Amino acid sequence: MPIPFGEKSRLEGRLRATHTTLLSPFDPLVWDRERASALWGFDYRIECYTPAEKRTYGYFVLPILHRGALVGRLDAKAHRTQGVFEIKALFTERDATLNDAALQAVAGAIRRCADWHGTPEVRVRRTEPADLLPRLRACLESPASLIRAGRS
């Protein structure tokens, strides 16, 4: 039986995940809820059809992929006419710890998404855990997040 593309390199430890991005709820990585749960322990569903008072994470939540791991999710809204990308809430997964480098990479992914939407100002309302909020805001304001987003 042939080995799937990339699998031999992965098994030999030569293939490493290096990117951080925000995923669409329709990304093949997460749209199959059972698979996402089995492979990554990531319980995910789109809550836009759930009444607001019954939502766990938010209206249209984007999973956060960091170096091959689903480390969190964020509820965001692009206010294009005001040029604001609002992060209503960012949640980390139970077993995910975002060190400074990981948080800087997440900030870069947020900036890229905000830029794509034409919303250069990013506002973060809340994070869980709460102590992540000042660190994330600082990362978003730092020159490193602008460089990671392709701005300099």
Side-chain angles (χ1 to χ4, degrees):
M1 175 194 246
I3 297 174
F5 177 77
E7 188 65 12
K8 182 177 180 188
S9 294
R10 186 190 69 78
L11 292 171
E12 293 173 353
R14 293 183 290 141
L15 188 61
R16 301 214 190 306
T18 59
H19 288 70
T20 301
T21 192
L22 306 182
L23 299 176
S24 160
F26 308 107
D27 190 283
L29 211 63
V30 294
W31 69 262
D32 183 334
R33 292 173 53 196
E34 288 181 25
R35 182 180 65 179
S37 180
L39 291 176
W40 295 282
F42 193 76
D43 184 26
Y44 183 70
R45 68 186 172 117
I46 299 171
E47 296 180 321
C48 59
Y49 302 111
T50 303
E53 65 277 0
K54 293 185 179 183
R55 293 181 192 141
T56 303
Y57 297 106
Y59 182 80
F60 197 79
V61 174
L62 306 173
I64 303 168
L65 178 68
H66 174 65
R67 296 189 170 193
L70 292 165
V71 297
R73 54 190 93 205
L74 62 88
D75 183 21
K77 180 169 178 64
H79 302 277
R80 289 179 185 84
T81 56
Q82 295 89 3
V84 174
F85 190 75
E86 176 189 14
I87 298 173
K88 296 178 178 187
L90 183 144
F91 305 88
T92 60
E93 294 304 295
R94 279 178 257 109
D95 57 345
T97 302
L98 296 180
N99 62 23
D100 290 342
L103 197 56
Q104 195 63 251
V106 169
I110 290 168
R111 281 260 171 235
R112 286 190 303 277
C113 188
D115 287 349
W116 185 82
H117 281 284
T119 52
E121 183 183 345
V122 177
R123 293 183 191 157
V124 184
R125 301 283 180 219
R126 140 178 111 90
T127 63
E128 286 187 26
D131 64 347
L132 192 63
L133 185 60
R135 291 178 53 222
L136 178 59
R137 284 179 174 160
C139 285
L140 285 164
E141 293 169 5
S142 78
S145 78
L146 298 175
I147 292 167
R148 287 182 190 266
R151 294 193 226 161
S152 48

